[in-house]
Amino acid sequence: MDSALDIFGSQSWLRPAGIGAASAYDLTLAMTAGFGVVFVLMMALIALAWRARAAPRTWWIWTGGIIVPMTAILLVLTGSTLALVAMTRADENALVVDVTAHQYWWDIVYDPDGMAVRDANELVLPEGRPVTLRLHAADVIHSFWVPSISGKMDMIPGRVNTLTVTATEAGRFRGQCAEFCGLSHPRMAFEVLVLEPAAFDDWLTDSAGPARDPARTDLVAGRDVFAQQGCAACHEIRGVAEGGRLGPDLTRVGARGSLGAGMWRMNQGTLAGWIASVRDMKPGAQMPNFNHLSGPDLRAVSAYLASLK
Ligand code: CUA
């Protein structure tokens, strides 16, 4: 299988594509330059002190030991506090999106107080429009981070942290859970798809509808396997099997770019492998291996899921 690095978008804060990431980048450059100056100044003062060690002067101690470090620390504190306040401030006009971290996947609900579109493991954002993310955790502490778009924010059970992000460039980016949360913490990534505003509105409206009806008989057979195996106890497919919220929503699962929370390319083959051996692909995942399925059943159910777009 392809490794995630080949198939997903940028995950680098060195190439910012969002307002938060740009301010973190600028802050890093300013700090590097500022501390470079402080370093040179300190070295000069040390050299001066060494040459005049027989007759020390107190202003050197004041300057090198207190005034220069205090000024540098205050500047850094001010800059980083302003950046943090800007990132966490809720925007009145922002679209609200609830993101809940689970071991090891992401539940995502767009516009939770309005049309409430549920999806998983792929965050779709409108270009140029602020989005306030309400970050929740279902089990242990996780951390939300899309380095190209914004700063990082912890997700803590029992509280809601907010992060306002504005993507400034359409394209595909990659996010990653940034807090150790168990065996498959490194396999808890996600994709971020930034769409132009009109395309985003179309996507949201389209995503609010129920799953498409299968057009072919093999897909109908796959939907029957989904029902017989009790998949609906954990997974929702709107219009087909509602109420299962323990696992990712599958209404548009075939439309996602990746499978297993940003780990493998999404297609029927990887889906079949995933269903049969999820515990081997992602140690510690809650879903059991469905390796008792017959070949035809596995083929049918994976074809059905891949068709849900
Ligand atoms: Cu979730 Cu690390």
Side-chain angles (χ1 to χ4, degrees):
M1 279 182 191
D2 298 292
S3 88
L5 289 177
D6 305 334
I7 52 176
F8 301 120
S10 168
Q11 190 183 340
S12 172
W13 63 273
L14 293 171
R15 206 181 67 74
I19 289 177
S23 75
Y25 180 70
D26 294 344
L27 198 61
T28 307
L29 290 189
M31 279 168 67
T32 308
F35 282 117
V37 171
V38 169
F39 179 78
V40 170
L41 210 62
M42 286 310 199
M43 288 300 120
L45 283 171
I46 286 173
L48 213 62
W50 182 257
R51 276 182 52 189
R53 60 191 177 282
R57 312 239 175 97
T58 47
W59 71 266
W60 293 343
I61 297 172
W62 279 100
T63 309
I66 297 173
I67 296 171
V68 174
M70 284 282 276
T71 311
I73 288 168
L74 278 176
L75 284 173
V76 169
L77 186 70
T78 310
S80 54
T81 306
L82 289 177
L84 186 69
V85 167
M87 276 180 213
T88 50
R89 191 190 301 125
D91 190 309
E92 299 264 305
N93 304 312
L95 172 76
V96 175
V97 178
D98 273 332
V99 181
T100 306
H102 297 253
Q103 287 171 313
Y104 301 96
W105 61 281
W106 312 81
D107 181 51
I108 302 170
V109 180
Y110 299 83
D111 193 13
D113 309 315
M115 62 208 297
V117 175
R118 184 177 293 268
D119 202 353
N121 296 334
E122 187 172 87
L123 179 63
V124 183
L125 298 174
E127 182 188 354
R129 180 174 167 199
V131 174
T132 293
L133 302 168
R134 297 198 301 216
L135 303 172
H136 316 255
D139 33 42
V140 299
I141 299 177
H142 303 264
S143 183
F144 178 97
W145 197 23
V146 188
S148 305
I149 307 266
S150 183
K152 184 176 3 176
M153 182 65 71
D154 276 0
M155 308 171 84
I156 299 165
R159 62 169 288 157
V160 183
N161 284 342
T162 61
L163 181 67
T164 298
V165 305
T166 308
T168 50
E169 193 182 301
R172 208 170 263 281
F173 304 91
R174 193 162 187 271
Q176 168 70 44
C177 177
E179 179 68 45
F180 180 75
C181 54
L183 262 188
S184 281
H185 154 70
R187 296 183 172 201
M188 185 171 168
F190 57 104
E191 282 195 88
V192 180
L193 186 61
V194 180
L195 300 175
E196 282 162 11
F200 177 83
D201 290 342
D202 290 348
W203 173 86
L204 194 63
T205 311
D206 184 62
S207 300
R212 318 233 185 284
D213 273 333
R216 308 193 316 248
T217 50
D218 62 323
L219 301 181
V220 175
R223 191 179 60 185
D224 293 343
V225 174
F226 183 89
Q228 288 151 12
Q229 293 297 324
C231 306
C234 298
H235 295 286
E236 183 161 60
I237 299 179
R238 276 194 307 283
V240 175
E242 307 212 343
R245 295 277 164 88
L246 292 174
D249 185 291
L250 301 178
T251 307
R252 297 277 186 275
V253 62
R256 288 176 207 149
S258 70
L259 170 69
M263 293 313 300
W264 293 277
R265 196 193 293 274
M266 175 66 73
N267 58 48
Q268 189 192 339
T270 50
L271 266 168
W274 175 262
I275 294 163
S277 55
V278 49
R279 286 275 171 98
D280 305 301
M281 290 169 81
K282 192 178 256 195
Q286 301 293 314
M287 178 170 153
N289 286 351
F290 280 73
N291 48 14
H292 57 275
L293 286 180
S294 70
D297 280 359
L298 189 57
R299 197 172 306 127
V301 75
S302 54
Y304 170 60
L305 293 176
S307 79
L308 295 176
K309 293 184 180 179

